[in-house]
Amino acid sequence: MQLNNPPSSFGEGYEEVGYKSVREAVKEFETHFQCKVELPQMGPPISFAHEFGRFFEDERYSRY
């Protein structure tokens, strides 16, 4: 199967479907819910090559 214009990088494919940096996704969450999120200062003992996040509000199950 031939893909038309495949992403030039691994991360670009995720960006196309709404993922962004973890920092940006957390900021969106904080803005939406008007609260501060404190993430752990120390990560897991293994390193990851990629980190992505996405904030999504499911309006069908929203309790507002």
Side-chain angles (χ1 to χ4, degrees):
M1 183 166 110
Q2 179 73 23
L3 296 176
N4 294 338
N5 300 324
S8 61
S9 71
F10 179 78
E12 191 176 295
Y14 282 95
E15 290 171 1
E16 289 176 3
V17 293
Y19 284 88
K20 54 194 70 179
S21 74
V22 172
R23 188 172 308 216
E24 288 175 289
V26 168
K27 188 67 179 165
E28 280 185 38
F29 179 93
E30 290 175 335
T31 300
H32 181 80
F33 287 105
Q34 299 177 354
C35 67
K36 179 75 174 148
V37 174
E38 295 291 333
L39 297 177
Q41 294 297 316
M42 187 172 72
I46 60 173
S47 64
F48 293 92
H50 299 76
E51 294 181 2
F52 300 104
R54 181 170 76 172
F55 170 69
F56 172 77
E57 181 184 9
D58 188 345
E59 294 182 15
R60 180 177 176 190
Y61 295 102
S62 178
R63 295 178 187 228
Y64 295 106

